[in-house]
Amino acid sequence: MTRPTRSDLDSRRFGVEVFRSVIEDDGDLDAAIACDAELVVARVATASIGAVQRLEAAGFFLTDTLVYFRGATNHFDAPATLEGLQIRDVVERDQLERVTRGAFTDFFGHYHTDPRLDSEAATEGYVEWSCSALAWTDGFVIGAFDDATLAGFATVKIADGAGEIVLNGVAPAYQRRGIYAALVASIGHRLKAAGVGAIFSSTQIQNLGPQKTWARAGLLPGESFHTLHRWR
Ligand SMILES: CC(C)(COP(=O)(O)OP(=O)(O)OC[C@H]1O[C@@H](n2cnc3c(N)ncnc32)[C@H](O)[C@@H]1OP(=O)(O)O)[C@@H](O)C(=O)NCCC(=O)NCCS
């Protein structure tokens, strides 16, 4: 049971009252539909077609679909190497900001696909999110560097014996050179070495790059969720 909850972060970022709802049962569904907030963001399992149809009938519209991939770290044998690039922890906040901003401008997550939300504010949300990981004590931020220039990064959080790749991005000028695949290989190896047995991540269903990379690393598709928005 998860009732709609005010998102202070989203409300501040977009200057509107945003409530978020994770729909797990009929009570959650009724509460999301009854919620009077200016913007309600609802997440619901793709398998719950009846719930999705009730949300649509109540004025919600689809903004993205997330799919989770999960696997074991014992598949990861060696840290990755990338010709000319160095993989190490990121401590440089300004570089992380630059790469996140570049990778997530006009992204296709649910903030950017809602035409009433400011696109720049949506991008800055990802910047804030990636940089918040620099202070995590239960995870790390790993990056691929071209000399001193950060080319790509991933933030990883560890909890309950599993490492989650939370957010990742490669600067547009460095995309499609295998940087993300190398970061995932390094993350898996590092988690395994630390005794963390499971690895998982999620992305929008149409984001094929990460899914191809995860599948090659032995991760398998699992649960998936629609995100829907409704304005008052
Ligand atoms: C997704 C992203 C991190 C991939 O980084 P990358 O370093 O370019 O990826 P790689 O070069 O390691 O490519 C990995 C695989 O994905 C494929 N791929 C990468 N971008 C792709 C795209 N736009 N469409 C289809 N396949 C793509 C690559 O071709 C490669 O598969 P292949 O070996 O069959 O060719 C990068 O495109 C990015 O930052 N995108 C914007 C932010 C984002 O989507 N973040 C992920 C949110 S979960």
Side-chain angles (χ1 to χ4, degrees), residues 67-86:
V67 59
Y68 278 79
F69 274 63
R70 298 177 183 278
T73 57
N74 60 12
H75 300 296
F76 293 87
D77 288 328
T81 52
L82 261 181
E83 180 101 23
L85 294 179
Q86 190 203 354

Side-chain angles (χ1 to χ4, degrees), residues 103-104 107-108 168-170 174-182 202-204 207-210 212-214 216:
F104 285 92
F107 188 55
F108 36 69
N168 46 256
V170 171
Y174 286 94
Q175 288 180 6
R176 306 205 76 151
R177 296 195 207 170
I179 290 177
Y180 183 58
S202 64
T203 192
Q204 283 72 21
N207 203 356
L208 295 180
K212 285 189 194 176
T213 303
W214 299 334
R216 288 198 182 111

Side-chain angles (χ1 to χ4, degrees), residues 4-230:
T5 312
R6 184 179 191 273
S7 168
D8 296 336
L9 260 183
D10 288 349
S11 300
R12 194 177 63 239
R13 182 175 302 139
F14 295 109
V16 294
E17 193 76 355
V18 182
F19 272 59
R20 299 189 68 131
S21 168
V22 178
I23 293 171
E24 292 171 339
D25 57 31
D26 285 347
D28 297 337
L29 182 58
D30 292 340
I33 289 170
C35 182
D36 192 34
E38 193 170 0
L39 172 61
V40 183
V41 175
R43 192 152 275 163
V44 59
T46 56
S48 303
I49 295 288
V52 174
Q53 290 172 348
R54 273 198 61 200
L55 289 166
E56 288 175 326
F60 284 80
F61 60 93
L62 183 66
T63 50
D64 75 6
T65 300
L66 288 178
V67 59
Y68 278 79
F69 274 63
R70 298 177 183 278
T73 57
N74 60 12
H75 300 296
F76 293 87
D77 288 328
T81 52
L82 261 181
E83 180 101 23
L85 294 179
Q86 190 203 354
I87 294 184
R88 64 164 169 85
D89 279 4
V90 178
V91 291
E92 301 87 340
R93 187 186 182 96
D94 55 336
Q95 297 228 45
L96 189 56
E97 284 186 6
R98 173 183 52 77
V99 174
T100 311
R101 196 168 285 125
F104 285 92
T105 294
D106 299 328
F107 188 55
F108 36 69
H110 67 102
Y111 298 115
H112 283 100
T113 59
D114 185 330
R116 289 183 61 178
L117 289 177
D118 181 71
S119 182
E120 274 180 35
T123 303
E124 291 311 305
Y126 288 98
V127 174
E128 200 179 321
W129 192 12
S130 70
C131 289
S132 69
L134 293 171
W136 287 350
T137 52
D138 53 355
F140 53 89
V141 184
I142 192 167
F145 287 83
D146 181 3
D147 288 326
T149 303
L150 181 66
F153 74 91
T155 67
V156 181
K157 192 159 225 171
I158 300 169
D160 303 325
E164 177 181 8
I165 305 174
V166 177
L167 195 65
N168 46 256
V170 171
Y174 286 94
Q175 288 180 6
R176 306 205 76 151
R177 296 195 207 170
I179 290 177
Y180 183 58
L183 287 172
V184 170
S186 289
I187 292 164
H189 183 262
R190 178 159 164 179
L191 292 172
K192 177 182 169 183
V196 180
I199 179 169
F200 70 98
S201 195
S202 64
T203 192
Q204 283 72 21
I205 191 84
Q206 73 271 44
N207 203 356
L208 295 180
Q211 293 174 71
K212 285 189 194 176
T213 303
W214 299 334
R216 288 198 182 111
L219 280 67
L220 293 173
E223 67 276 26
S224 53
F225 300 89
H226 293 307
T227 314
L228 298 100
H229 287 193
R230 187 192 63 195

